[in-house]
Amino acid sequence: MLNSFSEKLKALQRFDDSVATQVLKFQLEHNPWFGRFANALNFEWKRQTVDLWPYMPIDAFKRIQGFRCMDEQKTDQFFLSSGTGHAARAQHYIRDLRLYEVLSLATFERLYPLEKHVVLAYLPGYADNPHSSLIHMLKTIIESDSSKMSAFLSLENPQPTHAFIQHIIAMGKRIVLFGAAFGLVELAEKQSLRIPANSIIIETGGMKTYRKAMSRKQIKQCLTQGFGLPMHHIHSEFGMCELLSQAYEQGDGWYKCPPWMHVLVKQEEKPLSGRIFNQEGQLYVIDLANVYSCSFIQTQDRAIQKEDGSFQVLGRMETAPLRGCNFLMEQE
Amino acid sequence: MQDTQWVQALNEHLLNTISTKNERLENAIDQSINQSLFNEADIRFALSAWEKALQQGRLLKWYEQVIHPINRGAKTTLMVLAGNLPLVGLQDVLAGILYNPPLLQIKLSKKDPHLIPALFYEFNLPTRIEWVTSFDQFTKNEVKKWVFTGDVRNFEQVQRLLRQGTWIASNAQVLRRKAAYSVLLLKDFQGNAEQFFNGFFRYQGKGCRSVGVILAEEWKEIEQLIIKMKEQLRLPDSEESIHLAAFLKSLGYQAIALVDKVFTNDPSALESIQTVGCYTIGEWLKMHTDTDRIQQYYNASEDMIEPLKIEDWQKDDFLNAQEPALGWKADGMDTLDWLFNT
């Protein structure tokens, strides 16, 4: 079943409402929390278009222990969101990691085929982070490289040998350097990694724990200068533990989804209304790879979307204020 | 005698300014609206509440209630205001003025920089006031007394900043205002829809006198009240509140959307103004809620208070939720009394 479903998704050329409808029906029946949510909204799926389907707040992955479709199959694998401080972390139970591996590899290889690229990951190792979806994805991609040249870089001494770089060039391959934004910025500032000028960098976001706030534009400028690469070689990946699919931005500033992922932007505070284009709003995602958890997610991200479906992520939604006189230094 | 004359004159001046559409005040209202700081209805409501509070020479009565020690000169005083609602720091400002220090330094909230000063422009105060919107505009005085209004989590940071800038002395006395929300004890509740609206929705429910928690014998009582208010208010529920209520129900909580809020027994309801926590007393006691943040109990009947052990907390009628008396003691503290006698 899983194999056939992943093959079905991989075969899609574009997002298919009928497949999404099947997934919606399945999840309304098998994910008890999502089913109750839709019932409470008086949702009648037969009469609704995609943008008026129920979208579960992403907090469900933090607030519900074992948020997933329920059946007799045991599920003991899960991804955890990166946490800061004492904040609750999202937990995404995974029925079968193979589905995630197949689809994330397929998404990556559509854009960066491994026969032409070598992936170098500047991220903590898998052993220390067995519940990180990003690191699991990188491990999958690296292990799928039949040339065996792709690798996790040492965090202490990331610079590959001159001979290794020369070998990559001689093979006619391009380096894809993958890393969290703050780690790459530090590398750029220290100039502790030199890579060929035709390399591509993919930053995965993640600046919230960094010592200073930086916009995506500032990050890209820093990486351009630090690595001596043209701006259009700095790409971004949009992913999170709650989603098993990823969107990529390849230097033009706009993320594009694989065919089994679909995003919508809706006006803030209008979760039950239709989508909007070319205006800032709140990001909603349909991720069919989440077939055994919940595919219809209301995120906490601000975004803007063009009619062709590509989108930009503009930051986090503002959270509602607390009651009382809340003098905050940053606001005052 | 001198003292009481200017206090009485100030009382009359404030009433005149509010009731006669004073030009400076109207300009301040326009500025606040144009800068999207507050909406006009909330500003007018706040002014009307102050007009009621100042009736019958109440400023002087408040002043006279406080014991004034002889031979103790007033010290230069600094106040840090935080304004979630229009005019929210006015009571502290009045206390500071009545204390009559040589200099009163007031850091206005950036959310409310226009309204409070506009009330005093045309009155010759005995106290010199320095109105500022950022700390670096203050004259350095190493002040010995200061009042902090705001989130306790930010207190240390603000105090450090003020000490580093030598605006306050290292041994300065401080009054910390810390209340966050009020609690409605539902038993025998007789409020009508308008009072209900003011208690929960006025100022978007941001004020510390806004109700953040309802306590009842059982959820059914709360549910009946919300349904009744829904019928009377006849205001549409927002999409966001409908969506959030559905989510909370999916988690297994009780939840009802009403206008832009959700009334729910979710224990985390206190963390947002979008939600009002609705609990039985048993649930409430189990939650060990931080009582320091509670401002006020409304409609507090004795048999409900006893198990809650809230004898020390202030009780008020729900009718007064957004119209406190002038001498109302936020956190049980009277700023005027603190200034004179601490």
Side-chain angles (χ1 to χ4, degrees):
Chain A
M1 162 71 181
L2 279 169
N3 282 344
S4 63
F5 187 70
S6 61
E7 290 309 315
K8 188 174 183 176
L9 294 186
K10 272 174 72 179
L12 291 174
Q13 294 301 307
R14 66 183 70 84
F15 184 76
D16 186 333
D17 283 9
S18 64
V19 180
T21 304
Q22 287 171 27
V23 172
L24 177 65
K25 281 185 190 175
F26 175 79
Q27 293 183 345
L28 288 175
E29 196 175 327
H30 290 91
N31 181 324
W33 299 276
F34 186 54
R36 281 203 295 268
F37 174 65
N39 278 340
L41 287 174
N42 298 318
F43 173 67
E44 294 175 53
W45 63 270
K46 282 180 186 170
R47 286 197 256 142
Q48 310 276 32
T49 54
V50 167
D51 50 344
L52 299 179
W53 287 358
Y55 289 85
M56 193 77 172
I58 199 163
D59 260 4
F61 288 93
K62 280 185 188 162
R63 298 201 59 181
I64 302 167
Q65 178 73 25
F67 178 58
R68 64 184 190 280
C69 292
M70 307 302 276
D71 56 22
E72 65 283 355
Q73 287 219 22
K74 194 166 171 276
T75 305
D76 51 11
Q77 306 262 18
F78 59 89
F79 290 140
L80 269 179
S81 61
S82 57
T84 50
H86 297 293
R89 295 168 73 179
Q91 208 165 21
H92 192 169
Y93 280 83
I94 311 297
R95 163 79 76 80
D96 189 334
L97 278 173
R98 193 69 198 135
L99 180 74
Y100 176 65
E101 292 164 355
V102 166
L103 294 177
S104 55
L105 180 63
T107 307
F108 183 79
E109 281 227 86
R110 280 176 184 224
L111 307 172
Y112 313 96
L114 285 168
E115 63 190 37
K116 293 180 181 169
H117 297 85
V118 171
V119 175
L120 300 179
Y122 183 66
L123 287 162
Y126 179 76
D128 296 331
N129 295 278
H131 296 298
S132 160
S133 56
L134 173 65
I135 291 169
H136 193 92
M137 179 182 81
L138 265 299
K139 177 175 173 278
T140 304
I141 293 169
I142 286 166
E143 289 176 353
S144 302
D145 179 4
S146 57
S147 76
K148 305 294 177 197
M149 294 165 81
S150 294
F152 280 94
L153 294 174
S154 155
L155 295 181
E156 291 76 32
N157 182 20
Q159 182 63 52
T161 63
H162 179 68
F164 180 70
I165 299 277
Q166 288 307 310
H167 183 51
I168 292 171
I169 294 168
M171 297 285 288
K173 290 193 166 195
R174 258 175 122 172
I175 288 176
V176 175
L177 174 64
F178 225 115
F182 67 88
L184 294 171
V185 164
E186 278 193 345
L187 273 186
E189 287 177 348
K190 291 178 187 163
Q191 303 227 321
S192 49
L193 176 61
R194 300 201 175 277
I195 49 179
N198 71 341
S199 301
I200 292 166
I201 291 178
I202 302 179
E203 63 85 16
T204 64
M207 290 298 289
K208 61 189 170 193
T209 56
Y210 194 54
R211 57 191 148 86
K212 60 185 176 188
M214 290 175 85
S215 67
R216 175 149 273 123
K217 193 176 171 190
Q218 287 172 316
I219 293 167
K220 289 199 166 202
Q221 280 168 345
C222 175
L223 298 181
T224 298
Q225 287 163 8
F227 288 98
L229 304 180
M231 188 70 108
H232 66 274
H233 284 202
I234 313 295
H235 300 183
S236 300
E237 181 251 11
F238 174 76
M240 54 180 89
C241 119
E242 296 90 338
L243 302 177
L244 299 185
S245 297
Q246 305 78 38
Y248 285 88
E249 176 272 302
Q250 293 189 284
D252 65 353
W254 295 89
Y255 287 105
K256 292 171 189 73
C257 298
W260 53 87
M261 181 184 184
H262 188 69
V263 306
L264 320 160
V265 173
K266 296 190 187 193
Q267 207 177 322
E268 268 183 56
E269 301 171 5
K270 295 281 184 186
L272 307 178
S273 296
R275 68 198 301 175
I276 54 171
F277 292 106
N278 305 312
Q279 289 175 59
E280 200 176 313
Q282 188 165 3
L283 183 71
Y284 293 70
V285 178
I286 300 177
D287 183 1
L288 300 182
N290 276 15
V291 60
Y292 289 110
S293 55
C294 181
S295 294
F296 308 90
I297 308 288
Q298 178 199 43
T299 77
Q300 286 297 320
D301 291 313
R302 286 184 300 115
I304 189 165
Q305 186 174 36
K306 294 196 290 192
E307 281 92 344
D308 68 2
S310 60
F311 65 103
Q312 290 183 345
V313 179
L314 306 171
R316 305 280 292 166
M317 303 288 294
E318 276 184 30
T319 51
L322 295 169
R323 290 182 179 81
C325 299
N326 296 298
F327 178 96
L328 294 170
M329 288 299 288
E330 59 269 29
Q331 289 173 8
E332 296 288 323
Chain B
M1 189 60 197
Q2 276 299 101
D3 277 347
T4 58
Q5 278 176 356
W6 77 260
V7 174
Q8 188 61 27
L10 175 60
N11 195 143
E12 282 164 23
H13 164 79
L14 291 170
L15 279 175
N16 279 337
T17 305
I18 293 169
S19 62
T20 59
K21 299 233 165 191
N22 172 278
E23 194 181 336
R24 275 190 187 272
L25 179 59
E26 290 301 311
N27 285 342
I29 293 170
D30 288 345
Q31 281 179 291
S32 300
I33 296 165
N34 293 339
Q35 293 169 19
S36 304
L37 300 170
F38 303 114
N39 65 49
E40 183 170 5
D42 280 349
I43 296 173
R44 299 280 177 206
F45 184 89
L47 285 167
S48 155
W50 272 103
E51 195 176 357
K52 286 180 194 164
L54 289 162
Q55 291 296 327
Q56 297 168 345
R58 291 211 176 102
L59 191 63
L60 181 60
K61 286 176 187 160
W62 183 31
Y63 179 72
E64 287 178 337
Q65 273 170 14
V66 172
I67 298 162
H68 306 115
I70 302 163
N71 298 331
R72 197 198 280 182
K75 295 167 182 162
T76 296
T77 302
L78 184 148
M79 290 181 168
V80 179
L81 306 185
N84 261 349
L85 9 154
L87 301 170
V88 74
L90 181 55
Q91 190 201 37
D92 284 336
V93 170
L94 285 171
I97 289 170
L98 296 183
Y99 177 54
N100 197 9
L103 174 65
L104 178 60
Q105 298 185 297
I106 296 172
K107 156 74 178 69
L108 294 159
S109 165
K110 283 193 175 153
K111 293 176 204 157
D112 191 8
H114 308 300
L115 298 172
I116 295 178
L119 293 171
F120 299 97
Y121 276 129
E122 291 164 12
F123 188 81
N124 190 20
L125 288 166
T127 297
R128 184 162 74 87
I129 303 187
E130 207 170 77
W131 305 100
V132 304
T133 50
S134 73
F135 293 121
D136 54 14
Q137 296 166 341
F138 274 141
T139 308
K140 295 190 177 184
N141 274 299
E142 298 214 333
V143 161
K144 296 286 195 306
K145 281 190 177 224
W146 70 292
V147 177
F148 171 80
T149 313
D151 191 320
V152 285
R153 290 169 296 186
N154 292 300
F155 172 75
E156 295 296 334
Q157 196 184 357
V158 173
Q159 180 167 255
R160 203 177 314 121
L161 182 81
L162 289 171
R163 280 181 180 163
Q164 281 167 359
T166 63
W167 289 297
I168 60 168
S170 57
N171 60 349
Q173 293 172 301
V174 59
L175 174 62
R176 291 160 62 172
R177 318 305 297 270
K178 56 194 174 186
Y181 59 89
S182 297
V183 174
L184 171 64
L185 301 176
L186 196 53
K187 194 172 183 186
D188 304 326
F189 173 80
Q190 297 296 331
N192 62 31
E194 187 188 347
Q195 292 151 2
F196 185 87
F197 180 87
N198 284 334
F200 290 88
F201 297 97
R202 174 65 62 190
Y203 311 125
Q204 294 80 56
K206 289 179 189 168
C208 52
R209 290 183 63 96
S210 294
V211 179
V213 169
I214 306 178
L215 298 182
E217 303 282 347
E218 53 183 23
W219 166 260
K220 205 173 175 185
E221 292 172 44
I222 297 167
E223 190 176 32
Q224 284 168 351
L225 171 72
I226 307 302
I227 290 168
K228 186 176 154 195
M229 291 301 144
K230 201 184 265 287
E231 285 165 3
Q232 292 185 15
L233 285 169
R234 293 176 177 272
L235 293 169
D237 299 334
S238 71
E239 289 187 18
E240 216 177 13
S241 64
I242 294 168
H243 198 253
L244 178 59
F247 177 54
L248 292 173
K249 282 181 184 171
S250 79
L251 301 184
Y253 295 115
Q254 305 279 7
I256 305 177
L258 180 62
V259 195
D260 60 356
K261 297 197 185 299
V262 177
F263 291 73
T264 174
N265 64 348
D266 173 10
S268 65
L270 283 169
E271 301 310 318
S272 165
I273 60 164
Q274 286 174 338
T275 38
V276 175
C278 304
Y279 313 111
T280 63
I281 289 173
E283 285 169 336
W284 177 248
L285 289 173
K286 273 188 217 159
M287 285 162 59
H288 296 292
T289 299
D290 173 12
T291 49
D292 265 9
R293 295 168 66 205
I294 298 170
Q295 175 65 77
Q296 204 79 34
Y297 282 93
Y298 297 127
N299 283 39
S301 53
E302 293 306 317
D303 58 335
M304 284 193 87
I305 292 172
E306 202 279 323
L308 290 167
K309 301 191 188 313
I310 54 170
E311 297 86 346
D312 297 337
W313 292 94
Q314 295 181 84
K315 298 152 211 168
D316 206 345
D317 196 308
F318 184 67
L319 290 174
N320 304 327
Q322 304 295 2
E323 295 178 315
L326 182 59
W328 157 63
K329 297 179 183 179
D331 312 327
M333 292 297 296
D334 183 324
T335 308
L336 188 60
D337 187 46
W338 181 83
L339 286 168
F340 273 113
N341 295 304
T342 306

